[in-house]
Amino acid sequence: MTSEVEKKTDRYTPAAIEEKWRERWASSGLHNTPDTSDKPNFYFLTMFPYPSGEIHVGHWYAFAPPDAAARFLRMRGHNVLFPMGFDAFGINAENAAIDRKLHPAVWTERNMAHMREQFNRMGAAIDWRREVVTCYPEYYRWNQWMFLKLYEKGLAYRGDAPVNWCPRDETVLANEQVINGRCERCDTPVVKRQMTQWFYRITKYADELLRFDGLDWPERVRVLQTNWIGRSEGAELAFPVEGHAGEEIRFFTTRPDTIYGATFMVVAPEHPLVEKIAAPKHRPEVERYVQHARNMAEIERASAEREKTGVDTGAFARNVFTGERIPIWVADYVLATYGTGAIMAVPGHDERDFAFAKKHRLEIREVISPDGTAHARLDEPYAGDGVMVRSGPFTGMRTEEGKRAVADDAKKRGTGGPSVTYRLHDWLISRQRYWGTPIPIVHCDTCGAVPVPYEQLPVVLPRDVEFTGRGGSPLSHVASFVNTTCPKCGGPARRDTDTMDTFVDSSWYMYRYVDPKYDKAFMNKDLGKKWLPVQQYTGGVEHAILHLLYMRFMAKALRDMGELWFDEPAIRFRYQGTIVFKGRKMSKSRGNVQTPDAYVEKYGADTLRLFMMFMGPWVDGADWDASGIEGVHRFLRRVWELAQAEAQPAGPRDADVDRAVHRAIAKVTDDLQTYSFNTAVAAMMELSNALQHATGPSRDEGVATLLLLLAPFAPYMTEELWERRGGRGSVHGQSWPAFDPAIAAANEVTLVIQIDGKVRDRISAPAGIAQPAAEKLAMASPKVKSALDGREPARTIFVPDRLVNFVTRRPS
RNA sequence: GCCGGAGUGGCGAAAUCGGUUUACGCAGCUGACUUAAGAUCAGCCUGGGCGCAAGCCCUAUGAGGGUUCGAGUCCCUCCUCCGGCACCA
């Protein structure tokens, strides 16, 4: 039956077709996006990859669906900017240099070449003229420029703080790069070190970052960011230290209403006052404890199950509310990095303080009562709201009122007042590594830290560096780099040998794509005005906090410098889930990296693209299993045959086929807007199944429509078929098919007939049938008659075009 | 522990507003074509029961309860899995 067709059409050979179109598109510049056209501009951005060299199926999953979405927008009449580049700095390149004696620049270039090739095989419609590569001086000079600008504004500063140190990578890490007390990269337990480092003052924008006004971002990402920022309202208060005139311990609490229950204080081992106030008798023990705490790995120290250790400093503070002397302890359950590194301990109403008080026999006092009456003893801490008891003039106040009253009272006395604290810390951006942006600062013995003058940018990363993997920042061993003159006094000086966190690079790259070669500013603002902000951003959920928060911060900082004219860099964000393999993340070290190459070779890029989108909902990710790839390949082969079959003889239209076509248009259009790629593919499969059995002009037109719908998904095959069918220009330059609801509307519907909610029959009826007519039809059904068995419906539920439900029971 | 999200065939998954559960595929089974295999095409595929058969009845969306004419969808309790945070005062 199909033999005739087979003679006329050759077999579907993806390799040849795809190579042909790759070349044609490249030479015709099909994917080049003009900055102005008669169509509205649309900036569609997908997170650029790190050129790790290991291309796996996850890369296709991240890039093929957005490519389809971008192509769809083009067919819908937008001038779409869909750029790509490389997040090319990073520690992996340096480790590769150490392991294989390959310069990071060489390793990175090689990997980028490989990845560009992959993008091209995928058929991604990328305008490569706009490529951005972060490790080139033309790019990173603007990191340095921004650093200097932030420094001028007080948004970049050098600070001494307890920081996360990864002993294996020999560098500090931002909080965001520590996962469960371990280094995000190498999984080594992180230790805290007191170090002088560079920070970006992201906390200045904490409150603004909590607002997502006008943003269409997934709830999940907003929640993650909100929790990360961790805003807490309460009071910052201070208790004076006895015997140390002028010294006081400041602390933050969310429960000022419990202050009469503060029977002791606890300071973190890193607290600056510890050494000063420890009583001589206690000093050796305190020093031993502090030393021990410092040497402990974070993961060990942070374990909540661990018993609460601590020692008495022998010093006392005065609870200014009760007037009592209360002991000051040092314990590592108080974190140096949150609040002020000290707390008032209220064992009666805080679980941790309770456990500590029990262990060290400290006084536990009830000051909040759920029922308003004071109890003789507390067997467990009560952390809920209630009424203040044993609280002097505040006794009888409820928690809400008490919080305010105590904070206001403290303010009147000059010992504190209402305050807000965040979990979010300033962004630690310096790294003791080579492959990153040099920090444009010169250290001079007379002038201190001096910014490199703007006209001397970029501070170029020296090429000849020895990679030993040991002994601090590799740059510190390069004399020609380190030794310089002070821009201020002209005397001998040393360059800062740290480099920037690579998240600095990616915090603003979206502005660079607009005109990556522009050398007067980080962005060509004239062109930027045509594109920014990004209208659609996509990428992995794993960046929900790190990159996406930094990117928002940088936009706000640049805005406040007058460099940007919007508050948020990306209006709409959608993420894809993660592709794992047998339940585990793919990685070279695990040896479970699944590469796309074999599939591309066997089935073609179009099939793999389509399969990536068909596997399941994009947001969910998947456990990689290629067993279903045959199915989508078969579908493409059927379309291949269908599109080349002989033209149908003239004849009447087929309303059923026309309806199927327009329903598919509606479904695919909708699904592409909501990133439901899997159901879009299913809808096209359904359409192709329907067309297979159709005849006449409806079939021919339906096939033509199917090719247009399929074009964003399978760009190669549809282009080839478009050409073979004598289409003008490129299929990708065509308009998206128009949906006609009148054609899609059914004139026959299936009515479900229920009796007491149970389906008894299905009958076909004209669309829009009125209730009386529908009931009559339903009653005529023999099945309904026998099921009713002579009973009379007490009432009838009618859902137009859907169901008739006869209810025989009376409502009880 | 806290905050999110999810549990539907053998598998990946569909299912506007509460209204035909299982679309679209994979795997499997049966048949057609073939010397045969493959490819392709047609059909079957929750479980159980009745029937020679067309078909019919009951049952099923993690478990239990509730609301409703009607629940995968809403409410309550519980279980399991995934993600995030984790002594944050």
Side-chain angles (χ1 to χ4, degrees):
Chain A
M1 177 186 132
T2 49
S3 59
E4 205 181 311
V5 173
E6 266 163 12
K7 262 179 243 149
K8 285 198 57 88
T9 63
D10 51 354
R11 271 183 66 82
Y12 172 43
T13 51
I17 293 166
E18 290 173 6
E19 198 187 334
K20 164 183 162 185
W21 287 106
R22 240 188 324 270
E23 281 164 17
R24 286 230 209 146
W25 290 336
S27 60
S28 71
L30 182 73
H31 300 146
N32 292 346
T33 306
D35 285 293
T36 31
S37 74
D38 51 351
K39 300 167 182 170
N41 282 357
F42 191 106
Y43 193 170
F44 192 122
L45 183 65
T46 286
M47 290 178 189
F48 62 173
Y50 176 77
S52 65
E54 359 170 332
I55 311 290
H56 50 76
V57 290
H59 284 102
W60 280 59
Y61 194 69
F63 297 112
D67 179 64
R71 288 170 173 279
F72 163 70
L73 287 166
R74 287 202 178 113
M75 292 176 80
R76 293 266 277 182
H78 290 95
N79 182 41
V80 178
L81 176 58
F82 184 65
M84 195 47 66
F86 296 98
D87 191 10
F89 269 140
I91 201 164
N92 281 355
E94 211 168 323
N95 290 342
I98 296 161
D99 295 347
R100 310 178 215 184
K101 310 259 171 274
L102 204 59
H103 194 277
V106 174
W107 184 83
T108 304
E109 282 298 344
R110 214 176 55 187
N111 292 343
M112 289 193 297
H114 183 200
M115 291 185 86
R116 278 185 206 108
E117 168 66 24
Q118 278 286 329
F119 277 115
N120 288 335
R121 286 192 91 181
M122 193 188 295
I126 292 164
D127 183 351
W128 285 110
R129 301 171 310 165
R130 299 177 186 260
E131 182 188 60
V132 161
V133 177
T134 60
C135 68
Y136 295 163
E138 306 87 84
Y139 184 84
Y140 70 70
R141 70 173 288 191
W142 300 110
N143 275 343
Q144 295 172 338
W145 180 88
M146 278 174 209
F147 177 97
L148 295 176
K149 280 286 181 187
L150 292 167
Y151 185 71
E152 277 171 25
K153 300 272 174 193
L155 289 170
Y157 66 94
R158 202 157 175 251
D160 185 53
V163 298
N164 305 299
W165 174 262
C166 172
R168 173 141 177 224
D169 287 346
E170 296 204 21
T171 184
V172 296
L173 301 168
N175 270 354
E176 290 80 359
Q177 289 161 340
V178 179
I179 313 289
N180 293 328
R182 291 169 181 273
C183 171
E184 171 201 44
R185 281 205 55 268
C186 65
D187 220 32
T188 306
V190 161
V191 294
K192 280 272 192 253
R193 272 202 187 177
Q194 193 73 19
M195 289 176 82
T196 302
Q197 295 289 318
W198 287 99
F199 293 88
Y200 280 176
R201 208 180 291 281
I202 191 171
T203 52
K204 189 188 167 199
Y205 292 93
D207 278 322
E208 199 188 338
L209 288 167
L210 284 169
R211 290 202 302 271
F212 296 88
D213 310 340
L215 290 191
D216 177 4
W217 282 34
E219 166 83 12
R220 173 158 173 211
V221 175
R222 299 200 314 258
V223 166
L224 246 35
Q225 293 203 351
T226 302
N227 291 345
W228 185 262
I229 293 167
R231 185 189 148 97
S232 286
E233 278 184 39
E236 193 174 306
L237 305 164
F239 288 168
V241 181
E242 197 171 76
H244 293 267
E247 295 292 1
E248 55 179 24
I249 295 178
R250 303 196 65 78
F251 59 91
F252 174 77
T253 177
T254 54
R255 292 297 300 271
D257 59 313
T258 63
I259 200 155
Y260 281 76
T263 52
F264 61 101
M265 297 196 82
V266 185
V267 296
E270 294 85 354
H271 197 282
L273 280 180
V274 170
E275 273 185 62
K276 202 164 182 180
I277 62 172
K281 243 174 72 186
H282 293 77
R283 194 164 292 253
E285 202 192 345
V286 168
E287 274 170 10
R288 217 176 311 124
Y289 184 78
V290 168
Q291 207 45 49
H292 180 70
R294 278 198 181 143
N295 291 336
M296 225 188 290
E298 270 303 285
I299 188 166
E300 201 184 330
R301 197 172 145 174
S303 156
E305 299 90 63
R306 218 179 108 231
E307 218 179 317
K308 298 215 163 5
T309 63
V311 297
D312 189 354
T313 64
F316 288 88
R318 206 179 74 251
N319 182 332
V320 295
F321 279 76
T322 61
E324 292 166 307
R325 284 173 94 216
I326 56 173
I328 303 170
W329 284 64
V330 53
D332 65 6
Y333 83 90
V334 171
L335 308 177
T337 50
Y338 185 78
T340 63
I343 60 159
M344 66 168 190
V346 184
H349 305 285
D350 181 281
E351 237 174 83
R352 299 150 298 176
D353 297 344
F354 184 87
F356 193 79
K358 275 272 176 201
K359 185 171 175 200
H360 298 101
R361 296 172 205 275
L362 293 156
E363 191 195 343
I364 299 167
R365 185 187 300 166
E366 183 197 48
V367 292
I368 299 289
S369 163
D371 58 11
T373 60
H375 302 85
R377 45 173 297 174
L378 268 180
D379 294 324
E380 51 180 32
Y382 174 69
D385 286 359
V387 178
M388 293 171 73
V389 296
R390 300 188 181 97
S391 296
F394 302 94
T395 300
M397 284 187 188
R398 293 208 55 89
T399 293
E400 262 329 293
E401 185 192 359
K403 279 183 183 175
R404 233 173 309 125
V406 169
D408 290 346
D409 190 78
K411 195 168 184 184
K412 257 182 255 154
R413 301 180 193 212
T415 56
S419 171
V420 174
T421 294
Y422 303 89
R423 216 187 70 107
L424 178 73
H425 287 72
D426 279 337
W427 175 14
L428 199 176
I429 60 133
S430 40
R431 296 290 180 274
Q432 291 69 50
R433 302 296 306 204
Y434 165 74
W435 197 231
T437 304
I439 288 176
I441 288 285
V442 167
H443 298 281
C444 167
D445 285 337
T446 17
C447 311
V450 181
V452 172
Y454 287 100
E455 59 276 13
Q456 286 177 26
L457 298 184
V459 176
V460 177
L461 199 57
R463 174 106 186 177
D464 292 324
V465 174
E466 216 192 317
F467 301 102
T468 60
R470 293 281 154 261
S473 172
L475 286 180
S476 62
H477 304 302
V478 185
S480 59
F481 176 81
V482 175
N483 298 321
T484 184
T485 52
C486 171
K488 212 165 177 181
C489 70
R494 285 154 288 110
R495 282 193 194 281
D496 199 302
T497 55
D498 282 357
T499 53
M500 295 183 199
D501 180 6
T502 55
F503 281 103
V504 173
D505 310 343
S506 53
S507 66
W508 63 276
Y509 74 114
M510 59 286 293
Y511 315 128
R512 195 65 189 159
Y513 278 129
V514 159
D515 187 355
K517 305 226 164 50
Y518 193 66
D519 64 359
K520 302 201 173 46
F522 72 93
M523 170 173 58
N524 180 337
K525 233 193 248 189
D526 291 337
L527 293 185
K529 288 239 159 85
K530 297 176 193 289
W531 293 107
L532 288 154
V534 171
Q535 279 173 74
Q536 174 68 63
Y537 195 30
T538 75
V541 236
E542 64 275 16
H543 292 112
I545 297 170
L546 288 147
H547 162 61
L548 290 174
L549 203 58
Y550 295 148
M551 167 188 97
R552 293 179 64 214
F553 156 69
M554 196 57 92
K556 292 170 195 302
L558 288 168
R559 174 202 61 195
D560 288 348
M561 291 170 197
E563 296 292 336
L564 297 179
W565 55 95
F566 44 82
D567 300 321
E568 292 284 350
I571 304 304
R572 188 171 190 254
F573 176 69
R574 291 293 180 272
Y575 62 82
Q576 79 269 3
T578 314
I579 296 290
V580 296
F581 183 62
K582 295 189 171 147
R584 313 187 122 252
K585 241 170 117 171
M586 277 183 250
S587 77
K588 207 178 235 170
S589 54
R590 287 199 185 88
N592 65 347
V593 174
Q594 300 298 301
T595 63
D597 297 4
Y599 304 106
V600 176
E601 214 165 289
K602 185 162 179 203
Y603 301 104
D606 280 338
T607 295
L608 189 56
R609 286 172 63 102
L610 209 65
F611 180 58
M612 288 290 167
M613 297 187 241
F614 185 61
M615 287 191 300
W618 196 50
V619 283
D620 289 352
D623 203 329
W624 178 251
D625 172 13
S627 62
I629 199 168
E630 284 284 351
V632 289
H633 188 61
R634 272 198 279 265
F635 162 64
L636 284 185
R637 278 211 309 261
R638 274 197 295 268
V639 175
W640 178 259
E641 303 283 337
L642 203 53
Q644 295 184 86
E646 199 126 7
Q648 292 289 310
R653 298 202 67 87
D654 182 331
D656 287 337
V657 174
D658 292 342
R659 189 175 314 118
V661 170
H662 279 262
R663 287 194 169 169
I665 294 172
K667 183 71 180 147
V668 176
T669 306
D670 259 28
D671 287 350
L672 278 172
Q673 279 160 322
T674 57
Y675 294 73
S676 311
F677 303 101
N678 57 327
T679 47
V681 175
M684 290 186 286
M685 287 174 166
E686 272 184 85
L687 177 57
S688 104
N689 290 345
L691 292 171
Q692 212 97 46
H693 309 288
T695 53
S698 293
R699 167 173 162 139
D700 285 342
E701 283 169 35
V703 170
T705 302
L706 175 59
L707 286 187
L708 293 174
L709 295 178
L710 189 57
F713 299 83
Y716 292 112
M717 193 189 87
T718 49
E719 186 79 311
E720 175 70 17
L721 290 171
W722 183 259
E723 185 189 55
R724 290 187 184 204
R725 289 165 60 93
R728 302 235 315 242
S730 166
V731 73
H732 304 298
Q734 305 306 309
S735 293
W736 190 249
F739 169 65
D740 185 342
I743 298 174
N747 40 25
E748 284 271 294
V749 294
T750 303
L751 280 183
V752 171
I753 314 303
Q754 297 182 336
I755 290 163
D756 294 327
K758 282 198 197 290
V759 178
R760 293 298 163 182
D761 201 6
R762 299 180 175 99
I763 58 176
S764 157
I769 186 171
Q771 179 163 0
E775 282 184 34
K776 218 173 130 194
L777 262 179
M779 280 299 188
S781 152
K783 286 185 194 167
V784 170
K785 269 186 202 148
S786 76
L788 270 177
D789 196 23
R791 289 172 299 171
E792 278 296 306
R795 64 188 175 117
T796 306
I797 312 280
F798 177 68
V799 181
D801 288 349
R802 296 219 96 135
L803 69 72
V804 177
N805 183 12
F806 296 117
V807 183
T808 63
R809 286 175 283 133
R810 308 238 149 242
S812 42

